Amino acid sequence: MGVKVFRSPARHGYAVEGSPFIPTRFACAASQYYGIAGSGTLLILEETESGIALVKSCEWSDGLFDVAWSETNENVLAAGGGDGSLQLWDSSSNHSAPLRVAREHTQEVYSVHWSQTRGENLLVSGSWDQTAKVWDPTLSKSLTTLKGHEGVIYSTVWSPHIPGCFASASGDGTLRVWDIKSAACRLAIPAHKSEILSCDWCKYDEHMVVTGAVDCSVCVWDLRNPRQPVCQPLVGHSYAIRRVKFSPFSRTVLASCSYDFTVRFWDYSSSQPLLETVEHHSEFVCGIDFSLHTPNQLLLDGPTPCQYTASLALLLCQLQRLPSGAGLLLGRDSEDLHTCLPYSWNTHCWTIEHTHTHTHLKNGQVLRVRH
């Protein structure tokens, strides 16, 4: 297995997303001083034969906590900031400033996502101010504001099947499904008895949504019968689950990353759902994404223990037990952004980790700090 390294000193990655247009390109939202203080950086990176190249680095005055590529323009992406801002960036531009900035949220924007259904070109943002907002790409003014959560919103994800519909996960322990046409919550599921940090929609079934929470469990929900998960909760992580993702190549395969330093792969339809555990990280893993282009590649992201520096580490792993087409995983380490890639590989998935969350875990609960 070859190792590729990209050094990103004094930055801690929070989110990573692969380009829907360019197979070798990905973006990372990163923050200084663990996201508690200081500035943020949006990194546009390119995998090459010899390593990982920096395409562009964009600086912001506050921490950046999520990133999403446009589904209609290969150069445009959005990022959410700790100052409550939503920024639109052009990766091909020579200018260092964002194209547009929206400042309607009153607290951290922790989630951004671009709509994926045909005929729509919308963004949704989720904030610590307990609201979700829907935008068009001009970011001139939000199209609608959705209220109903009684806690921080950590995750907002558009349905890849149903126009005008997205799901949100919150610190109030609920998973909610929203209809933007009526600006109303259509379904509220008390999915966990703890904070839910992430949710994702199945790419093959419009009724299936997965959640990951501080209670260390992953639950898969059928929105037609939300009284209980479709299977027993997927357990194995020993600390809070930071992010969950369905595979774009397999209906029932998904990945979860956690503050326990691991990434786990599951097939929720199996009697033995745990497919693989990846333990290449030395710190908390907080971001993950599957490549849309290359089946059976996994990209992991997580930091090495270093108090004041951080980095993204992209780990490409050959996972023998995953079904064909399950994905590649990317990871981030605290001093280096590096990728461990077999020179002959066939999968892609990105993940991120950082170090400061040691201070956020107390008796199994996540304290109210940027994590």
Side-chain angles (χ1 to χ4, degrees), residues 314-327:
L314 310 184
L315 302 178
L316 192 56
C317 305
Q318 196 79 24
L319 301 178
Q320 300 298 327
R321 295 185 60 195
L322 287 184
S324 176

Side-chain angles (χ1 to χ4, degrees), residues 18-40:
S19 166
F21 295 97
I22 306 172
T24 56
R25 185 162 295 184
F26 51 93
C28 172
S31 298
Q32 192 177 23
Y33 302 123
Y34 316 110
I36 299 173
S39 61

Side-chain angles (χ1 to χ4, degrees), residues 20 69-72 113-124 134 137 157-167 178-181 201-203 205-206 292:
W69 288 94
S70 168
E71 295 289 329
T72 60
H113 197 233
W114 220 293
S115 59
Q116 299 178 339
T117 54
R118 292 182 179 179
E120 281 189 337
N121 188 18
L122 300 173
L123 280 159
V124 62
V134 176
V157 182
W158 289 103
S159 168
H161 312 279
I162 308 169
C165 177
F166 72 90
W178 305 85
D179 174 19
I180 67 169
K181 293 179 181 178
W201 223 293
C202 179
K203 312 304 185 288
D205 191 330
E206 66 183 61
L292 299 174

